[in-house]
Amino acid sequence: MIRTLKLAASAAALLALAACGDNGGGGSASGTRAGIWSAGSSTVFPFATRVAETFARASNGAAPRVESLGTGGGIQAFCQGIGPTTPDIANASRQMKQSEFDLCAKNGVTEIVEIKIGFDGIVIATARNGNGFNFELNDLYEGLAKEVPGPNGTFVANPATTWNQVNAGLPNLRIQVYGPPPTSGTRDAFLELGMTPGAKLVPAAAAVEASDADRFEALAHTLREDGAWIDSGENDNAIVQTLTRTPGSLGVFGYSFLEQNLDTVKAETIDGVTPNADTIASGAYPLSRSLFIYVKKAHIGVIPGLQQYVQEFLSEGAAGKGGYLADRGLIPLPEDQLLAQRATIAAMTPMTRPAK
């Protein structure tokens, strides 16, 4: 579900982006738009809205418009071109892909500034009063992949219906997992951090990786379509609510949403590690990830306040220890990384093309 933060702006706040120039892509340089516009990850959404509120109070202006479209949806919109019909910022719960960077370049978005704002973990949660799970990483692949190893080197439709059929140490409960859709960065990260390394621990799947990397990726990244995995939209709060109404079900979402709902849900361990601020920041928790915002350098100096808004993300009050983003569940960057990201913002240093 798209959630949008829009505060009324006066007519005087309408911004012309003619200075951005025309490009052959999807964005037009003509027209006007009110204020800063960011779009993307549902995980980054609560952090971006909190920064927007603080920025609006400090500037006595309209709060930036923040939309939750999923990482993929936000970057697609961001990459359509330069000008008022495209977002200034893409919020992302994973790094931009090479294909997305190339789409941006094709549409005239040639200088993109990548800023890491902190860390988050992907949790597998259940209702607080439900059974406990202690997943091993390979359980994720063996329980949720559409195809798993069968006889004589074949791969077959996943036959497991209960978790104890996957691992005798898990509860005898139906496999029913509510998670994000394909447009979500949380889904992308779950596939990369959970399903892929889990598949590598299964000998038959690991053998496929050694001989056919593309086939292995398809096996590891294709989730079940028989009702065991249920796409639940971009609204992580809806997943949390579903767990309390569906005994035995599990949900996949960001750690920040766990922090906000500890009275109703609990996180399950993976390889014996509980997700918390320390295990996520250190990388000890297997499903740890970094969060990003991507900024159009061409819009800096054209959209009033854009650079100041970006600076607010990594201000001491927001991103420092005890900052207001930590109160929302964001795990802060270590001091050296924080200083490096502030330097990137100050110089607006464009990113290089991603390796993949």
Side-chain angles (χ1 to χ4, degrees):
M1 175 181 179
I2 295 177
R3 297 167 293 176
T4 307
L5 175 69
K6 294 180 180 177
L7 298 184
S10 66
L14 292 175
L15 306 172
L17 286 182
C20 284
D22 200 4
N23 64 81
S28 168
S30 62
T32 58
R33 158 154 61 79
I36 297 164
W37 178 14
S38 73
S41 166
S42 63
T43 300
V44 177
F45 178 85
F47 309 132
T49 55
R50 181 66 175 81
V51 172
E53 292 160 3
T54 300
F55 174 81
R57 286 196 297 269
S59 63
N60 294 316
R65 168 185 170 189
V66 183
E67 292 184 328
S68 175
L69 307 177
T71 295
I75 292 178
Q76 282 289 316
F78 176 87
C79 286
Q80 292 310 301
I82 299 296
T85 61
T86 62
D88 311 306
I89 298 171
N91 303 321
S93 56
R94 56 161 171 79
Q95 287 190 286
M96 181 178 283
K97 299 175 182 178
Q98 186 183 90
S99 59
E100 293 167 334
F101 183 89
D102 291 346
L103 174 64
C104 272
K106 176 183 176 182
N107 289 334
V109 186
T110 56
E111 291 188 299
I112 303 167
V113 183
E114 179 186 79
I115 300 159
K116 184 190 295 186
I117 62 169
F119 302 106
D120 184 39
I122 299 168
V123 301
I124 302 173
T126 189
R128 189 151 193 84
N129 59 358
N131 290 71
F133 293 73
N134 181 17
F135 287 108
E136 296 175 4
L137 202 53
N138 57 288
D139 295 336
L140 304 182
Y141 168 74
E142 294 180 282
L144 295 174
K146 182 177 180 178
E147 293 185 351
V148 293
N152 303 317
T154 63
F155 281 79
V156 299
N158 197 326
T161 58
T162 60
W163 283 110
N164 67 328
Q165 292 173 350
V166 173
N167 179 338
L170 294 175
N172 181 15
L173 292 171
R174 180 160 63 108
I175 299 174
Q176 186 176 23
V177 179
Y178 294 87
T183 54
S184 171
T186 297
R187 166 114 155 209
D188 291 338
F190 178 70
L191 297 177
E192 290 291 342
L193 301 174
M195 295 291 287
T196 297
K200 290 180 180 181
L201 295 173
V202 177
V208 172
E209 183 187 25
S211 61
D212 187 341
D214 290 341
R215 169 65 171 151
F216 172 79
E217 181 174 340
L219 289 169
H221 285 196
T222 305
L223 295 169
R224 297 176 68 162
E225 299 171 347
D226 58 358
W229 172 277
I230 303 117
D231 286 344
S232 300
E234 293 288 355
N235 188 342
D236 292 340
N237 282 315
I239 298 178
V240 170
Q241 294 164 14
T242 298
L243 300 185
T244 63
R245 299 193 301 264
T246 313
S249 65
L250 295 160
V252 174
F253 48 81
Y255 175 76
S256 60
F257 288 93
L258 174 75
E259 283 274 278
Q260 297 167 30
N261 295 279
L262 286 173
D263 57 330
T264 57
V265 296
K266 61 182 179 181
E268 305 304 333
T269 61
I270 299 178
D271 288 344
V273 181
T274 301
N276 58 45
D278 291 336
T279 60
I280 291 170
S282 70
Y285 178 65
L287 304 189
S288 303
R289 61 177 172 173
S290 300
L291 302 180
F292 301 88
I293 59 174
Y294 291 91
V295 184
K296 286 176 182 167
K297 188 171 182 177
H299 286 201
I300 297 293
V302 179
I303 298 292
L306 178 57
Q307 187 160 5
Q308 290 74 25
Y309 171 67
V310 173
Q311 287 171 333
E312 178 60 29
F313 267 94
L314 295 182
S315 68
E316 199 60 31
K321 291 184 178 179
Y324 62 76
L325 292 182
D327 291 341
R328 287 269 175 114
L330 183 70
I331 296 165
L333 297 171
E335 186 67 18
D336 60 336
Q337 293 188 38
L338 181 59
L339 293 175
Q341 295 302 310
R342 286 173 177 167
T344 296
I345 294 172
M348 279 288 144
T349 305
M351 66 185 288
T352 57
R353 185 172 183 253
K356 61 179 182 177

